[in-house]
Amino acid sequence: MTKASLINSKLPRVGTTIFTIMSRLANEHNAINLSQGFPDYGCSKELVALIHKNMLAGNNQYAPMPGLLSLREAISKKMDCAYGKKHDAETEITITAGATQAIFTAISTIVNPGDEVIIFEPAYDCYAPAIELYGGKVVPITLQFPNYTIDWKEVAGLVNTKTRAIIINNPNNPTSGVFDKNDLLQLENIVRNTNIVIISDEVYEHLIFDGAQHQSVAAFKGLAERSFIVFSFGKTYHATGWKIGYCLAPKELMNEFRKIHQFNVFCVNNPIQQALAEYLNKTEDYLTLPNFFQEKRDFFVDKLNGSRFTIYPSKGTYFQLLGYEKISRENDVAFAERLIKEFKVASIPLSVFYDKKEDNKVLRFCFAKKNETLLSAAEILKSI
Ligand code: PMP
Ligand code: GLN
């Protein structure tokens, strides 16, 4: 027996995530870390005090399996206000350990061996491995560079009787693109009269700029009736380390989702749920997010003025794409590594989000940072 013979890898092609690699490299080289997406400033002190209050009050034991009812009710109210869709708090909402767990559980709920799942590339990294783990086949569709638009005719052409699900991410990480109403109407048309389930990753729902409105699948009847919709409090409350989010789906889908959720996590952090149930009613906190992040985006882009990087439009999320084709012909992973080691700025190369590692010489930079951090990074980037 060798140690290796104990393992028959279910994910032979998978390594460590790019976020882990780049953050580690940034720390090792003392670089400004604009790679992994997380704020470098604090979250609401009031919210932290509420969590603390709940811990002191003794709310430290298991929460109910699907999540605290008061929090689910607050989410239901929020969804109704924002998208005009009523989700039943009892049967259609589950609190999860972040969006990652919600997405993983949704995929495990519906994907059987041989099923096809359409994803759009560049794709956030947690979709494909989960599909493969359950024996599904990933069907990637490439967004058209440089605008990263979707050709819905191509999507319609790839749908067949084996298509089990389509995963969308809007606003989109890593492209920073957002869907307009027409995109969702096209998707609604494609799935009409099929059994296709939609997994809609909407963790950046409030990070949308220039006056655009977030188009949630919740607002489209033909999509909401077949969708798992996923959100993350980590994004909304500048607290990615809390790993708490939620998933919405029609009762029948949610019932199956919970069968898996209960044996995977059972329930998530109780005092944070208690605090969020109260805090979520403060709508001004998340309604001011578009302005807050738009100012950061504009600050960063303004400070990059005159640099040799190509600045792509960022319509949502807290990411800015920069092209370096005028600076170097290196591949994007090598260039991103050199940027850390030689110039002390960390970013994420986009090729890692493609199955075929398509390299358009584009890097992703996170602008959820203090202005002083953004200024220091921009000054370095401008000097290259
Ligand atoms: N989906 C997307 C598109 C993300 O960018 C992220 C993380 N930033 C997640 C899901 C995961 O969210 P969480 O940290 O709540 O698991
Ligand atoms: N979602 C974050 C990003 O895109 C990373 C989360 C993680 O490290 N898994 O940067």
Side-chain angles (χ1 to χ4, degrees), residues 87-128:
H87 284 89
D88 180 42
E90 198 67 68
T91 58
E92 299 185 318
I93 303 175
T94 300
I95 312 301
T96 59
T100 311
Q101 185 238 313
I103 293 162
F104 191 92
T105 305
I107 289 171
S108 67
T109 302
I110 54 164
V111 174
N112 283 299
D115 286 346
E116 293 187 1
V117 180
I118 293 178
I119 66 170
F120 298 94
E121 287 188 343
Y124 185 62
D125 68 344
C126 75
Y127 309 149

Side-chain angles (χ1 to χ4, degrees), residues 191-209:
V191 295
R192 187 170 292 128
N193 301 322
T194 72
N195 290 325
I196 295 172
V197 169
I198 305 291
I199 298 176
S200 186
D201 178 347
E202 303 187 16
V203 301
Y204 299 102
E205 68 175 321
H206 297 301
L207 281 62
I208 180 160
F209 314 131

Side-chain angles (χ1 to χ4, degrees), residues 256-322:
E256 281 301 308
F257 178 99
R258 286 182 184 169
K259 285 188 195 174
I260 296 174
H261 174 80
Q262 66 184 342
F263 295 122
N264 185 17
V265 270
F266 184 68
C267 68
V268 303
N269 191 305
N270 189 7
I272 296 187
Q273 290 195 60
Q274 301 271 358
L276 286 170
E278 199 175 324
Y279 200 74
L280 202 56
N281 297 318
K282 279 184 61 138
T283 54
E284 70 275 14
D285 233 66
Y286 56 81
L287 293 178
T288 49
L289 285 174
N291 266 348
F292 175 81
F293 281 112
Q294 186 171 326
E295 272 176 33
K296 295 227 166 276
R297 176 200 67 177
D298 292 347
F299 179 83
F300 186 48
V301 167
D302 181 57
K303 298 299 169 203
L304 283 169
N305 194 8
S307 93
R308 292 163 75 207
F309 284 92
T310 305
I311 298 170
Y312 292 99
S314 169
K315 297 180 177 170
T317 75
Y318 43 43
F319 302 115
Q320 174 64 55
L321 298 185
L322 299 178

